[in-house]
Amino acid sequence: MTTETILANATLVLPKETLLGQVRLLDGRIAEIAAGGGLPKGAEDCAGDLLMPGLIELHTDNLERHIEPRPKVDWPHAAAIIAHDAELASVGITTVFDALRVGSVVSNAKANYGEYARALADEILGLRAAGALKISHFLHLRAEVCSETLVEELDKFGPEDRIGIVSLMDHTPGERQFRDLSQLRKYVMGKHGMTEAEFDAHVADQRALSFRHGSRHEAAAVAAARRYGAVLASHDDTDAAHVARSAEHGAHFAEFPTTVEAAQACNGFGIKVMMGAPNLVRGGSHSGNVAAADLAKAELLDIISSDYVPSSLLSAALMLGDLWGNVARGVATVTRAPAEAVGLSDRGRLEPGCRADLVRVARIGPAGALRGAWVQGKRVG
């Protein structure tokens, strides 16, 4: 059965410009784009609103918030996944790479760092196969090298699991994101209610794990990404040496580099830089690292991720458009650029032949309000 939708009188956000026009969707694809403010019979009048590609999220911790809405509360997973999916659709995200940690600490139950990824991945993929989800889901395995079980957990996944990204995570105390131990102390003690003595023991234990397993785990994660056919990403690169190692491994993009030095080094190696939308919206990093806005002003920012606030993705794209004086360029950081970073050639652009994943957004001052979302031509929000 042929299904057609026409979205007209819209400000089309094309790859390099915006213009008033219309888009015809046919059988899940963009069939035609035309300039002009006309309103064909049966078309939806977008009243001049922005019409852009659906947003693409490469790294989000949002599912974890639904699975564990309070400490030690394990919410029913199917309900949590469906709620997570619906929330993303409601803020214009039409493709998501659900971030799941692999690599656990099983010798210390108090660490609250148990294995969960394989079972949760099965539930996500099962709901997707059953048609229960509104948007397109892939997996992003966050490979924690400072752990005990990374190799065993990686071996439980294969090329059939829709793994699009493997990121190299190293949360060794005193390294990368938490190079400043005072910031780590504040974060860990606040989140887990540790005493000073417990925090000191945690630091010692994590450093010992890294010493024993770090190099072997890093190599295993790089090999696993190749085996899955996934893109490799680095995480929290802090200096030029970190970036050089990422480049040697073949990383396509860098998640949240913590310094200008690291971002500049990424640029030199052709590694795309991804920063968090909450960093941009808040005006700085909650961990005391480099501000996303500073990298944007220095022409060192390529991709935005919502990280832990799904609604921040759209806000950040519009903020960048205003900062750069180019709406199309700002929107590209959450559409075309992430699609290219992970090799998705069928989405992220308003072009004939691409998937009909689109969002309609009304500008309200500097902010944006979602007025509609479509995935493969079907309205989902």
Side-chain angles (χ1 to χ4, degrees), residues 156-192:
K156 296 178 181 179
F157 290 88
E160 69 281 0
D161 287 314
R162 287 179 67 83
I163 301 167
I165 304 168
V166 174
S167 56
L168 291 168
M169 313 286 292
D170 184 358
H171 286 107
T172 304
E175 299 289 337
R176 298 183 179 255
Q177 180 183 9
F178 291 114
R179 181 171 52 173
D180 182 348
L181 281 181
S182 65
Q183 291 286 344
L184 178 64
R185 177 180 284 103
K186 185 188 305 181
Y187 175 77
V188 171
M189 290 178 66
K191 182 175 181 180
H192 299 293

Side-chain angles (χ1 to χ4, degrees), residues 7-8 21 64 70 132 167 178 181 231 246 285 320 381:
L7 305 172
E64 295 178 4
R70 290 287 186 274
S167 56
F178 291 114
L181 281 181
V231 164
S246 299
S285 164
L320 285 173

Side-chain angles (χ1 to χ4, degrees), residues 74-97:
D74 186 23
W75 202 255
H77 289 185
I81 294 164
I82 290 169
H84 159 68
D85 170 78
E87 181 181 0
L88 299 189
S90 76
V91 295
I93 296 170
T94 57
T95 297
V96 63
F97 287 72

Side-chain angles (χ1 to χ4, degrees), residues 104 143-155 168 209-224 249:
S104 306
E144 181 52 70
V145 301
C146 187
S147 66
E148 295 173 330
T149 64
L150 180 59
V151 174
E152 294 84 355
E153 291 189 47
L154 289 170
D155 286 346
L168 291 168
L209 275 180
S210 181
F211 179 78
R212 289 199 305 271
H213 303 302
S215 297
R216 179 173 66 93
H217 281 177
E218 188 171 304
V222 173
H249 290 322

